[in-house]
C-alpha cells in the first residue's frame, strides 16, 4: 500500500502490484522513475535530502535489518533502535522506501552541476545543495570550486564503513550498503522480497555503483567504466551503450522486416504505397491510421535511454524505409531532466531538403500522468490486441463552470424585457475555465474514468455526469470536467519581442533565420511609424477591399475567385459581396470536413523527423488551402487532438446552455439565446413556424430550409456551427482572463493593507504567475518570458500562465478560418451589397428563410470578445506561419509580418468601437421619453439622428478649451466618432430640427456626460485587453517602461489613467484624433452603425424572426462586485455597522426569486442585528437561509429553495448562511456542504453561551475568496469527502 496515494483504495494498489509488467529479459531497471524537470531550488532539495547523514543512516539500517545474514547473533541490549531487530518488525514497504531514496539519489547525483557552478559564477558549490550542516560532504573543502561527484556520493552512501554511517561500534565488521543491496537483488538475505521490481531496483543500484566507482566494482568482482573524475567514464559508458543499442536495433529491425514481408506482399495489390506518413494519415481514418502504417513500414524499436541522440542505423538498412519515430518506452518512466536539447530544436536529424519548423519552446513535452509518455501517436503492433485506436492526444485537465462573478453576481434582473445593458449582461452566465497544469492522454483519461466508475467509491462522493462528466485529476485530485489539447509552439513565440542581443536562432540554418530576423526588425521600425489609415489601406485582413482573390458569401466564408475571373474584372465593376451561382459551381464551398481537416494539420506537433523531403505543396495537398473537387479524396477524419478540441467546444457550450436553461427557464431563454448561438435561435423560430403550420419539428439545420438540404449545403451549415462554437470558446477565454485579472487586482489592493504586505504580495504573485500590478492604471503585469528558465515552462506558471495553454489551442483552431473570424468580429465594410450577375436572387428570396446572424454587430455585441477573436486570428495565423510555413498560400499575401503591430491596430479599432458604443448607449438611455430615441425592434428614427448630429456640431464649435490639452483632444475625438457614425451629411437634414432651448441644453449635457462615461469604459477596455494580449503574445509589453510603476500616484484622474493606458499600447489622444481623419476609418465606423441600427431593414421580416438583443450595450462585463466603480457606491450608501455582500451592495434592486422572503442590501456586523432584522421579516420560518451573494432570504426547511436559488444566482454555485444554526452552507448543483460561520465570539467560537457574535473579517474574506476565485464547486466536493456529515441532495 502506497500511503502517498491515500485516495486510492487498497484493492486498487493490490491490483496494480499484481498487474505490474514483468521484465522477461531480467535486466536491472530502476525502482523509481527519474525525477521530473524542476527548478534549481528543488534540485538542491534533492541533493540535500540524499546526502543527509541521518537519511543515509536510516536507509542503511533498513537494508541491514532485512538483508544481513546473521551467523552469530549479537546482543542488542544497548543498541539504539533495537526494536527494529525484533520478530515481526520487517516490512517490504519500508525496504522499498530505502531503495526508492537511494534510487532518487543516484539520479540526482548523476547530474553534473559543474557547468551550473561556472555559469553562475558562485564561489562555493554548496549553494547548489549537498553540503549543508548534517551532510556527508559538510567537511569537504571549497578549493577550486570542486563539487562532489557521483563517485563521491557512491562512496559515501553505499561503500562507507557501517560503523561510521551509524556512529555506533555495534556495526563494526558489518557489510556495507552495497553488499546488502547485492544480497537483496539475489534474494539471498534473511528476508525474501516478493516484489520482483524491488529486486531489479537493487540490482540497478549495484550496476550504477559499478559504473561510477571502481572500488564498488572491485568489491563485487566486476570491472568499472568510470575514471577518477567521472567524465571519461560517462563517455565510455555512452559508447558501450550506443554499440549495444545499435546491435539490438539492427537485430530487431531485421527480424521485424522478415516477419512482415509476407503481409506486405499481400497488401501491395490493395494498398497504395505512400512515401510519407502524412499521406498515409490523409487516406485513412483516425482509428485505422496506425494500423496502415504498421503494416506498410517496418518499425525498429529501441529502449529509451538518458540521451535523446538518435542511434545510427546499420548501412545494410539504407535501402529500407524505416519510421524513425521512437516507439513507446517499455516502462512509464519520465525521461531524465538533464537531457540536453539539440541546437536544431529537435531530437533527431532532419533529412536535407525538408521544411524545418521553428525550434520548440518546451525543452521536454509534458508527460502523461497515467502512462508517463509524451507521445501524441503510439505506433504499436495491434495485430494481437485488435485495438485500432492509435491516437493518444496529449491534453491538460481543466474545469469549465458557469459563473456570474464577472457579471456582478446575483439572480435574474427585475427587468424581464432585457432592453437595457445592466439587465442584459446579467441575463446569461459566463464560462470560467481553470487548468491544473497536469497533462494526460485522452485515451488514458477515458481508461481512468472507466476504472474510477468501476472502483468501490463508498467513501467518495459521486460527481456530476455529462458528456465526459466531472472527475478528479489523477495527480492533484482537483475537480475537472474538460481536456484542453496541448499545442506545441515554437520558441519564437516568446522571442518575438526580445532584444536583439537575446534573439537566439535555434534552427539548423542559422544564417537564414538571422537574415529573416533582421528584415523583421527593420520592418517593425517602419510599421511603428505607420498610422491606422496606412494599416487599413494595405492589410489583407480587410478582404473586401484589399484582396480581390476572394469574395464574402454573406455568412462566414471567403470563397476564392478563379484567376480568369479576377483578370477580366475591371475597376468600374462593383466587387461582389456574395458568390455567383457559376462561382459556386466552379469552386466547392468550404465545409465542415475541410475545417476538421485543417484542424488536424495545424493542431498537430510539427514533424521533427520525416522519411521523405516532400512538402505538402509538392504533393499537391494543402490542408489550409481552399478546397477543390480534386481535394475531396484527400480530406480525412478527426485525429485525436481534433476530437479533444471538438469535445472541449461542445462541453463549454453545453455548460453555459444548461446553466442558462436552469437559470431562466426554456420559455424565457428561447426569446434570446445570446451571442454565438445562432443555430439555437433558428431552431426555435423555425420550429415555432412549423408548429403553427402543422408541420413536423426538425433539428437544425434541416429546419431552416423548406426543401431537402444537399450534402454540400449541410456541410456548409455544420461549418457555421463549428465557427460559432469556436467564437463562444473565445468568449469563455475572455471571461476567464478578465475574472482572473479582476481577482488579482482585488487581492492586490487588500494585500497592501495587511500587516505583512511583502510576504502576502509574493504569495499572490506566485499563485497567479504575475510580476505585479501597476497601481496607477490597474494593468496586471505578467513576467517577462525566458526560454531558459524552469525548463522553458516559465511562461505557463501560475493560474494566469496556465491560461496560455487554452490560448494556444484557440490560436491554432482560429488559424484555418482567421480571415472569416476577422470579418465577422470587426465587420469591415464590403464594397457592394448587390451582385449584378446574380440572376437567381428572386428565386432565393422565396425559397430561403431569413437567417439569424452568427455574430452580433460590433456596436450591439461584446466589443472585448470581438477584439479578442481578432487577436486570436492574428496570433493563430502567425503561429501557423512559423510552424507550418508550407501551408501559407503565397498568392493570398496574408503573411503576418509583425504580430504586435497588427494587434495594436486591432486594439485601436476595438477601442474606437467601444467608445462609440458607450456614447450611443448613454444617449439612448438618457433621451428615452424626451426625444424620439431608437428602441429595440423598431425602425431607427432619422429625426433623432439629425438632432444628435446637430448637437454634436454645435458642441464642436463652442468647445472652448486649451487645444493642446489631453481633455480637449479626447472630447474632440469623441465628437468626431459620433459624426462618423451618423450616416447623414453635415448641414443637410431631411427633417425639421425645431428644439427649444431647454431641450437643446439637455441634449448637450447628455452628449458631454456620455463622453465622460466613455472615458471610464475606455479605461476598463484597455485594462482588460492588455492582460489578454500578454497571454496570447508573451513579452508584448516587455520594453514598456511605464509598466514598472508600482507606487500609487496622487494625481490620478480618469484622463491621466487613460493616457497611461494608451501609452502602454503605443498610441495617445493625438493619434486617435488623427486616425479619425481617415476616410477608410470613417467608412468602417459608418458601416458599424448601419449594421447595428438598420439591420432589420435589409431583410424583410417574413417569418417574425426577432432579435431583442440589438441595442447599444453601454455597460458590459466584466463587472466585478468590488471594482473601482462600485467601491464608491458602497462607501456612500453602506452604514459603518455593515459590510458589503459577496456580490456587492448594488443588488438590492433585483426582483425576488420564487420562494424568497425578502432581500437585504448589506451584511450587518453584529449577529444579533442580523437575527433581529431577518426574524421580523420571517418570524414563522424554522430554518432561514441568507444568500451571501445577493442578500435574498430563503426558507431552508428542506424544500430545495437554496438549490433553486443557487442556479439562478450563481449558475449552480452559491454561498448561504443558515441563521438558526449559525453555520455557512456552500452549494454545487444539487449538493451542499457545511462551511465555517463568519460570525464568531471573542474566542473564535460559534457557540452562543451568552456571548455576542460578531462578523470576523478574516473568516468573511475566506468566503469572499471562495466566491470570487471560482472555488465554490471544488470546495463543496472537498468538504463532502472529508466530513462524515452527509447532506441529502436537493435538501436545502
Amino acid at each position: 500500500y502506497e500511503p502517498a496515494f491515500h485516495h486510492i483504495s487498497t484493492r486498487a494498489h493490490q491490483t496494480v502490484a499484481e498487474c505490474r509488467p514483468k521484465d522477461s529479459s531480467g535486466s536491472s531497471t530502476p525502482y523509481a522513475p527519474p525525477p521530473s524537470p524542476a527548478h534549481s531550488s528543488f534540485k538542491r532539495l534533492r541533493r540535500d535530502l540524499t546526502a543527509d547523514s541521518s537519511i543515509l543512516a536510516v536507509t542503511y539500517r533498513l537494508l541491514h535489518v532485512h538483508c544481513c545474514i546473521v551467523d552469530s547473533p549479537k546482543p542488542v541490549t544497548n543498541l539504539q533502535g533495537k526494536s527494529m531487530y525484533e520478530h515481526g518488525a520487517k516490512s517490504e514497504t519500508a525496504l522499498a522506501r530505502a531503495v526508492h531514496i537511494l534510487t532518487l539519489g543516484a539520479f540526482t547525483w548523476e547530474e553534473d552541476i559543474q557547468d551550473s557552478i561556472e555559469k553562475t559564477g558562485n564561489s562555493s558549490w554548496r549553494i547548489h545543495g549537498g553540503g549543508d550542516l548534517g551532510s556527508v560532504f559538510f567537511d569537504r573543502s571549497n578549493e577550486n570550486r570542486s563539487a562532489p561527484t557521483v563517485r563521491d556520493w557512491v562512496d559515501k552512501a553505499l561503500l562507507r564503513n557501517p560503523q561510521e554511517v551509524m556512529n555506533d561500534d555495534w556495526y563494526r565488521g558489518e557489510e556495507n550498503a552495497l553488499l546488502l543491496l547485492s544480497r537483496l537483488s539475489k534474494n539471498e538475505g534473511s528476508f525474501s522480497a516478493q516484489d520482483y521490481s524491488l529486486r531489479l531496483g537493487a540490482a540497478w543500484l549495484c550496476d550504477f555503483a559499478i559504473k561510477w566507482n571502481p572500488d564498488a566494482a572491485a568489491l563485487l568482482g566486476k570491472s568499472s567504466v568510470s575514471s577518477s573524475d567521472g567524465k571519461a567514464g560517462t563517455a565510455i559508458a555512452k559508447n558501450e551503450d550506443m554499440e549495444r543499442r545499435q546491435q539490438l536495433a539492427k537485430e530487431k529491425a531485421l527480424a521485424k522486416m522478415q516477419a512482415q514481408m509476407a503481409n506486405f506482399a499481400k497488401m501491395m495489390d490493395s494498398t497504395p504505397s505512400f512515401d510519407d506518413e502524412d499521406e498515409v494519415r490523409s487516406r485513412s481514418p483516425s482509428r485505422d491510421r496506425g494500423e496502415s502504417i504498421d503494416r506498410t513500414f517496418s518499425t525498429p524499436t529501441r529502449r529509451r535511454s538518458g540521451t535523446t541522440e538518435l542511434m545510427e542505423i546499420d548501412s545494410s538498412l539504407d535501402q529500407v524505409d524505416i519510421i524513425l519515430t521512437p516507439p513507446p518506452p517499455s516502462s512509464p518512466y519520465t525521461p531524465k531532466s538533464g537531457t540536453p536539447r539539440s541546437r536544431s530544436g529537435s531530437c533527431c536529424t532532419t533529412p536535407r531538403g525538408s521544411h524545418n519548423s521553428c525550434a520548440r519552446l518546451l525543452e521536454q513535452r509534458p508527460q502523461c500522468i497515467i502512462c508517463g509518455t509524451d507521445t501524441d501517436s503510439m505506433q504499436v503492433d495491434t495485430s494481437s490486441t485488435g485495438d485500432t485506436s492509435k491516437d493518444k492526444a496529449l491534453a491538460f485537465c481543466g474545469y469549465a463552470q458557469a459563473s456570474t462573478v464577472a457579471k456582478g453576481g446575483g439572480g435574474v434582473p427585475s427587468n424581464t424585457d432585457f432592453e437595457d445593458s445592466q439587465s442584459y449582461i446579467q441575463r446569461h452566465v459566463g464560462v470560467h475555465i481553470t487548468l491544473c497544469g497536469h497533462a494526460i492522454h485522452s485515451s488514458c483519461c477515458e481508461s481512468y474514468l472507466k476504472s474510477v466508475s468501476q472502483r468501490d467509491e463508498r467513501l467518495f462522493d459521486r460527481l456530476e455526469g455529462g458528456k465526459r462528466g466531472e472527475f478528479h485529476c489523477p495527480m492533484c485530485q482537483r475537480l475537472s470536467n474538460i481536456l484542453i489539447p496541448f499545442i506545441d509552439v515554437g520558441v519564437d513565440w516568446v522571442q518575438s519581442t526580445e532584444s536583439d542581443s537575446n534573439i537566439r536562432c535555434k534552427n539548423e540554418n542559422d544564417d537564414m533565420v538571422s537574415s529573416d530576423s533582421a528584415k523583421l526588425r527593420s520592418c517593425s521600425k517602419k510599421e511603428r511609424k505607420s498610422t491606422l489609415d496606412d494599416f487599413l489601406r494595405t492589410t489583407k485582413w480587410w478582404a473586401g477591399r484589399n484582396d480581390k482573390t476572394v469574395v464574402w458569401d454573406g455568412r462566414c466564408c471567403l470563397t476564392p475567385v478563379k484567376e480568369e475571373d479576377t483578370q477580366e474584372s475591371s475597376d468600374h465593376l462593383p466587387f461582389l459581396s456574395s458568390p455567383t451561382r457559376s462561382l459556386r459551381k466552379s469552386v466547392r464551398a468550404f465545409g465542415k470536413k475541410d475545417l476538421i481537416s485543417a484542424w488536424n494539420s495545424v493542431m498537430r506537433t510539427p514533424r521533427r523527423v520525416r522519411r521523405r523531403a516532400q512538402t505538402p505543396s509538392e504533393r499537391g495537398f494543402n490542408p489550409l488551402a481552399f478546397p477543390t473537387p480534386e481535394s475531396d479524396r484527400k480530406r480525412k477524419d478527426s485525429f485525436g487532438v481534433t476530437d479533444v478540441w471538438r469535445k472541449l467546444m461542445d462541453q463549454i457550450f453545453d455548460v453555459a446552455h444548461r446553466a442558462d436553461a436552469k437559470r431562466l427557464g426554456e420559455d424565457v431563454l428561447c426569446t434570446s439565446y445570446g451571442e454565438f448561438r445562432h443555430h439555437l435561435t433558428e431552431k426555435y423560430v423555425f420550429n415555432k413556424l412549423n408548429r403553427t403550420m402543422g408541420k413536423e419539428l426538425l433539428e437544425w439545420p434541416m429546419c431552416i430550409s423548406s426543401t431537402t438540404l444537399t450534402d454540400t449545403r449541410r456541410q456548409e451549415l455544420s461549418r457555421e456551427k463549428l465557427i460559432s462554437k469556436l467564437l463562444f470558446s473565445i468568449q469563455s477565454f475572455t471571461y476567464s482572463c478578465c475574472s482572473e485579472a479582476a481577482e488579482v487586482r482585488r487581492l492586490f489592493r487588500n494585500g497592501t493593507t495587511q500587516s505583512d504586505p511583502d510576504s502576502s504580495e509574493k504569495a499572490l504573485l506566485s499563485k497567479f504567475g504575475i510580476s505585479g500590478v501597476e497601481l496607477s492604471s490597474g494593468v496586471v503585469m505578467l513576467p517577462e518570458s525566458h526560454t531558459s528558465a524552469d525548463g522553458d515552462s516559465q511562461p505557463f506558471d501560475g493560474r494566469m500562465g496556465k491560461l496560455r495553454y487554452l490560448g494556444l489551442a484557440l490560436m491554432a483552431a482560429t488559424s484555418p478560418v482567421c480571415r472569416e473570424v476577422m470579418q465577422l468580429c470587426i465587420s469591415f465594410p464590403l464594397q457592394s451589397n448587390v451582385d449584378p450577375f446574380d440572376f437567381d436572387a428572386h428565386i432565393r428570396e422565396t425559397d430561403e428563410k431569413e437567417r439569424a446572424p452568427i455574430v452580433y454587430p460590433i456596436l450591439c455585441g461584446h466589443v472585448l470578445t470581438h477584439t479578442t477573436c481578432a487577436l486570436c486570428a492574428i496570433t493563430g495565423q502567425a503561429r501557423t506561419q512559423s510552424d507550418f510555413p508550407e501551408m501559407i498560400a503565397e498568392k493570398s499575401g496574408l503573411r503576418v509580418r509583425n504580430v504586435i503591430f497588427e494587434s495594436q491596430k486591432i486594439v485601436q479599432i476595438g477601442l474606437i468601437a467601444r467608445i462609440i458604443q458607450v456614447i450611443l448607449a448613454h444617449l439612448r438611455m438618457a433621451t428615452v421619453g424626451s426625444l424620439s430615441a431608437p428602441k429595440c425592434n423598431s425602425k431607427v428614427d432619422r429625426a433623432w439622428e439629425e438632432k444628435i448630429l446637430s448637437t454634436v456640431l454645435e458642441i464642436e464649435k463652442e468647445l472652448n478649451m486649451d487645444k493642446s490639452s489631453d481633455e480637449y483632444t479626447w472630447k474632440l475625438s469623441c465628437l468626431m466618432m459620433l459624426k462618423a457614425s451618423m450616416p447623414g451629411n453635415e448641414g443637410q437634414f431631411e427633417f425639421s430640427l425645431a428644439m427649444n432651448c431647454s431641450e437643446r441644453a439637455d441634449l448637450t449635457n447628455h452628449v458631454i456626460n456620455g463622453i465622460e462615461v466613455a472615458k471610464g469604459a475606455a479605461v476598463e477596455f484597455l485594462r482588460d485587453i492588455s492582460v489578454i494580449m500578454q497571454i496570447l503574445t508573451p513579452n508584448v509589453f516587455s520594453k514598456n517602461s511605464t509598466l514598472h510603476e508600482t507606487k500609487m500616484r496622487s494625481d490620478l484622474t480618469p484622463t491621466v489613467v487613460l493616457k497611461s493606458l494608451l501609452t502602454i499600447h503605443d498610441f495617445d489622444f493625438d493619434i486617435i484624433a488623427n486616425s479619425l481623419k481617415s476616410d477608410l476609418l470613417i467608412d468602417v465606423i459608418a458601416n458599424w452603425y448601419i449594421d447595428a441600427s438598420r439591420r432589420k431593414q435589409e431583410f424583410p421580416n417574413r417569418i417574425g424572426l426577432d432579435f431583442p438583443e440589438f441595442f447599444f450595450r453601454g455597460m458590459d462585463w466584466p463587472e466585478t462586485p468590488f471594482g473601482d466603480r462600485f467601491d464608491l457606491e458602497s462607501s456612500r450608501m453602506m452604514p459603518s455597522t455593515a459590510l458589503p455582500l459577496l456580490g456587492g451592495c448594488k443588488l438590492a434592486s433585483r426582483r425576488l426569486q420564487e420562494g424568497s422572503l425578502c432581500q437585504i442590501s448589506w451584511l450587518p456586523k453584529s449577529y444579533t442585528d442580523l437575527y433581529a432584522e431577518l426574524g421580523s421579516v420571517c418570524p414563522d420560518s424554522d430554518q432561514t437561509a441568507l444568500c451571501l451573494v445577493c442578500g435574498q432570504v430563503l426558507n431552508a426547511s428542506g424544500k430545495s429553495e437554496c438549490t433553486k436559488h443557487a442556479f439562478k444566482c450563481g449558475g449552480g454555485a452559491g454561498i448561504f448562511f443558515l441563521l438558526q444554526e449559525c453555520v455557512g452552507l456552500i452549494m454545487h448543483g444539487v449538493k451542499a456542504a457545511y462551511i465555517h460561520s463568519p460570525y464568531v465570539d471573542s474566542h473564535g467560537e460559534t457557540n452562543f453561551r451568552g456571548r455576542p457574535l460578531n462578523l470576523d473579517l478574516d473568516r468573511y474574506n475566506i468566503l469572499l475568496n471562495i466566491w470570487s476565485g471560482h472555488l465554490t464547486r471544488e470546495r463543496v466536493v472537498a468538504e463532502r469527502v472529508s466530513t462524515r456529515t452527509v447532506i441529502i441532495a436537493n435538501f436545502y
Side-chain angles (χ1 to χ4, degrees), residues 368-424:
C368 175
I369 56 181
I370 298 295
C371 65
T373 62
D374 61 352
T375 52
D376 283 337
S377 181
M378 305 293 289
Q379 297 177 8
V380 294
D381 186 10
T382 59
S383 57
S384 59
T385 61
D387 184 14
T388 59
S389 178
K390 306 297 185 304
D391 273 328
K392 301 186 70 174
L394 199 63
F396 295 96
C397 297
Y399 189 67
Q401 57 179 313
S403 169
T404 59
V405 176
K407 296 193 174 186
V412 180
S414 57
N415 188 357
T416 57
D417 296 333
F418 305 109
E419 294 184 358
D420 62 281
S421 302
Q422 180 67 30
S423 301
Y424 182 75

Side-chain angles (χ1 to χ4, degrees), residues 976-987:
M976 295 174 65
M977 294 178 194
L978 281 177
K979 289 194 301 181
S981 62
M982 299 300 176
N985 297 325
E986 300 180 13

Side-chain angles (χ1 to χ4, degrees), residues 332-610:
Y333 297 160
T334 306
K336 293 172 55 177
S337 60
T339 302
R341 180 168 56 183
S342 175
R343 289 294 181 185
S344 61
S346 61
C347 62
C348 31
T349 307
T350 305
R352 183 180 305 173
S354 63
H355 287 253
N356 300 328
S357 61
C358 181
R360 300 296 90 196
L361 170 63
L362 296 179
E363 182 177 351
Q364 287 190 345
R365 293 163 56 86
Q367 308 292 321
C368 175
I369 56 181
I370 298 295
C371 65
T373 62
D374 61 352
T375 52
D376 283 337
S377 181
M378 305 293 289
Q379 297 177 8
V380 294
D381 186 10
T382 59
S383 57
S384 59
T385 61
D387 184 14
T388 59
S389 178
K390 306 297 185 304
D391 273 328
K392 301 186 70 174
L394 199 63
F396 295 96
C397 297
Y399 189 67
Q401 57 179 313
S403 169
T404 59
V405 176
K407 296 193 174 186
V412 180
S414 57
N415 188 357
T416 57
D417 296 333
F418 305 109
E419 294 184 358
D420 62 281
S421 302
Q422 180 67 30
S423 301
Y424 182 75
I425 63 175
Q426 296 157 355
R427 174 185 177 92
H428 304 99
V429 300
V431 179
H432 184 267
I433 301 175
T434 55
L435 292 85
C436 65
H438 295 134
I440 187 174
H441 289 127
S442 58
S443 57
C444 294
C445 181
E446 298 297 337
S447 302
Y448 170 76
L449 295 181
K450 292 180 181 178
S451 64
V452 169
S453 62
Q454 298 173 359
R455 188 194 309 163
D456 184 13
E457 294 191 65
R458 290 174 296 178
L459 299 179
F460 294 90
D461 200 30
R462 188 170 298 276
L463 301 178
E464 297 293 335
K467 287 193 173 182
R468 176 173 278 113
E470 293 180 349
F471 59 95
H472 291 289
C473 172
M475 177 64 71
C476 64
Q477 292 299 297
R478 288 186 59 180
L479 193 61
S480 307
N481 62 354
I482 59 174
L483 292 180
I484 299 174
F486 167 70
I487 303 298
D488 202 357
V489 68
V491 73
D492 57 344
W493 184 52
V494 298
Q495 288 184 347
S496 57
T497 57
E498 290 183 0
S499 59
D500 298 345
S501 59
N502 293 333
I503 293 181
R504 298 173 298 172
C505 303
K506 296 188 176 183
N507 285 344
E508 291 183 351
N509 194 346
D510 292 343
D511 296 336
M512 179 182 65
V513 177
S514 300
S515 61
D516 292 343
S517 301
K519 293 179 181 178
L520 178 63
R521 290 193 296 269
S522 61
C523 182
S524 301
K525 294 179 180 179
K526 296 179 181 179
E527 289 175 337
R528 290 192 188 101
K529 300 179 181 179
S530 301
T531 62
L532 185 57
D533 181 76
D534 299 333
F535 171 76
L536 294 176
R537 291 185 185 278
T538 58
T539 179
K540 292 293 184 177
W541 295 112
W542 191 348
R545 181 186 183 278
N546 300 325
D547 192 356
K548 299 300 181 65
T549 62
V550 292
V551 292
W552 182 252
D553 68 344
R555 291 296 295 174
C556 65
C557 184
L558 286 169
T559 309
V561 182
K562 294 191 301 183
E563 296 183 0
E564 54 269 18
D565 296 340
T566 306
Q567 295 175 358
E568 293 176 0
S569 62
S570 58
D571 295 337
H572 65 275
L573 291 177
F575 187 66
L576 304 183
S577 62
S578 60
T580 60
R581 288 303 176 93
S582 61
L583 182 60
R584 289 179 178 268
K585 294 180 181 179
S586 61
V587 180
R588 187 181 55 80
F590 197 20
K592 172 185 176 181
K593 293 183 179 179
D594 303 293
L595 180 57
I596 294 176
S597 175
W599 281 346
N600 291 336
S601 301
V602 299
M603 286 190 171
R604 62 180 174 87
T605 301
R607 299 286 300 177
R608 302 175 184 177
V609 178
R610 298 181 184 273

Side-chain angles (χ1 to χ4, degrees), residues 724-788:
S724 64
K725 289 187 176 182
L726 170 62
L727 298 178
F728 192 88
S729 302
I730 297 178
Q731 178 176 272
S732 302
F733 169 74
T734 306
Y735 186 91
S736 303
C737 294
C738 296
S739 300
E740 296 295 330
E743 178 69 1
V744 168
R745 287 191 287 266
R746 185 189 67 84
L747 293 175
F748 198 86
R749 287 195 299 265
N750 296 340
T752 56
T753 60
Q754 296 177 357
S755 58
D756 190 7
D758 294 335
S759 60
S760 61
E761 180 178 341
K762 291 180 181 178
L764 180 61
L765 299 181
S766 176
K767 175 182 178 181
F768 287 90
I770 61 176
S771 60
V773 178
E774 208 276 324
L775 293 180
S776 61
S777 60
V779 176
V780 178
M781 300 176 293
L782 273 69
E784 184 176 357
S785 301
H786 298 283
T787 56
S788 58

